[in-house]
Amino acid sequence: MVERRAQEPIVPLRLFGNSTVRIVSGVSVVAGSVTLGMFFYFALYMQTLTGLSPAKVGFLFLPASLTSMVISILAGRVIAATGRYKWMPVVAMGIGGLLMIGFIFITSHTPIWVLAVMMGLFGISMGLQFQVLIVAIQAAAPLQDIGAVTSLITQARTIGASLGLALNGAVMTWALNRQTSELPADAAARLPEGLTGLSPHLAASLPDAVRDVVLGHYSSAFNVMFIWVAVLYFVAMALTLLLEDIQIPKRG
């Protein structure tokens, strides 16, 4: 309401009359929740499941960073050469959704290289959407509003990341509590705070047989969150399919 009356609004509301601006803003909120809003949970899950130190788990994020950077550069070159961009975020969201389904099959015995490959695919998904969506919204906005729409998509992504941390965590906590109630008595006795209080150090200290049972239930709880995030990815994919398939001027 304030922005409607402002003489020089931070975000001119007339921009939302453009369907591309509306769609990209909505997709960016969802994208922030399923990418930036997932890094903490990936780290927690992989450290607890594998028993690796925080530093070693950090190295598992390198494939995501590297592939995201490389794919972003390549995507920019493809857009410059063809003027087409719509297919990229569609593919990105599809990859992300299938990847979350793939995480359901991860266990404590999954080889480390498989986790590294999956994080590399996560980076490809990010590389095909983050910069591409900025190009899409900038191409749709009037020249005088380029700065406003660029800040808008950044803010939408930040809001999505905050929502993702909260909502994804809420789903995970609910699932962990549910799985705690299904633990065998001997395993539950070793977890005074339940699965929500399971730390990588505590998991590593459990006897092998008990640890396998506990980590199995722990994985089942995280699988609920992965399914939730997969649904969000496919919602975002559906939204990107609604983008107008335009061709922006190619760079000669």
Side-chain angles (χ1 to χ4, degrees), residues 12-50:
L13 298 185
R14 56 182 165 75
L15 292 175
F16 291 102
N18 185 302
S19 63
T20 299
V21 172
R22 291 197 305 271
I23 293 171
V24 171
S25 298
V27 169
S28 296
V29 171
V30 180
S33 69
V34 297
T35 53
L36 303 176
M38 279 296 291
F39 275 105
F40 170 77
Y41 301 113
F42 278 145
L44 176 64
Y45 184 63
M46 289 190 291
Q47 189 181 350
T48 303
L49 215 60
T50 63

Side-chain angles (χ1 to χ4, degrees), residues 39 58-75 116-128:
F39 275 105
F59 279 112
L60 282 175
F61 285 86
L62 278 178
S65 300
L66 293 174
T67 54
S68 176
M69 177 182 66
V70 171
I71 294 299
S72 291
I73 294 172
L74 293 177
V117 169
M118 295 181 79
M119 292 308 294
L121 291 172
F122 188 66
I124 291 174
S125 175
M126 290 192 295
L128 283 174

Side-chain angles (χ1 to χ4, degrees), residues 82-219:
T82 65
R84 299 288 185 181
Y85 62 80
K86 177 179 176 177
W87 66 269
M88 294 183 185
V90 174
V91 171
M93 299 307 173
I95 291 174
L98 293 175
L99 184 61
M100 292 303 107
I101 294 174
F103 267 104
I104 295 174
F105 300 97
I106 294 297
T107 69
S108 58
H109 304 292
T110 299
I112 299 300
W113 68 266
V114 174
L115 294 175
V117 169
M118 295 181 79
M119 292 308 294
L121 291 172
F122 188 66
I124 291 174
S125 175
M126 290 192 295
L128 283 174
Q129 59 174 285
F130 277 2
Q131 294 304 118
V132 175
L133 289 175
I134 291 177
V135 170
I137 202 169
Q138 288 180 339
L143 186 61
Q144 70 270 20
D145 294 319
I146 294 295
V149 293
T150 303
S151 61
L152 173 63
I153 191 174
T154 303
Q155 181 68 7
R157 195 174 294 158
T158 303
I159 291 172
S162 300
L163 288 174
L165 282 170
L167 295 176
N168 300 343
V171 172
M172 178 196 70
T173 302
W174 173 82
L176 285 171
N177 286 328
R178 182 174 180 180
Q179 286 296 319
T180 296
S181 66
E182 298 179 7
L183 281 172
D186 58 334
R190 295 177 178 271
L191 302 174
E193 298 180 21
L195 289 173
T196 56
L198 181 66
S199 65
H201 177 72
L202 177 57
S205 68
L206 296 173
D208 290 345
V210 176
R211 182 169 63 248
D212 286 343
V213 171
V214 168
L215 291 181
H217 284 271
Y218 190 78
S219 294

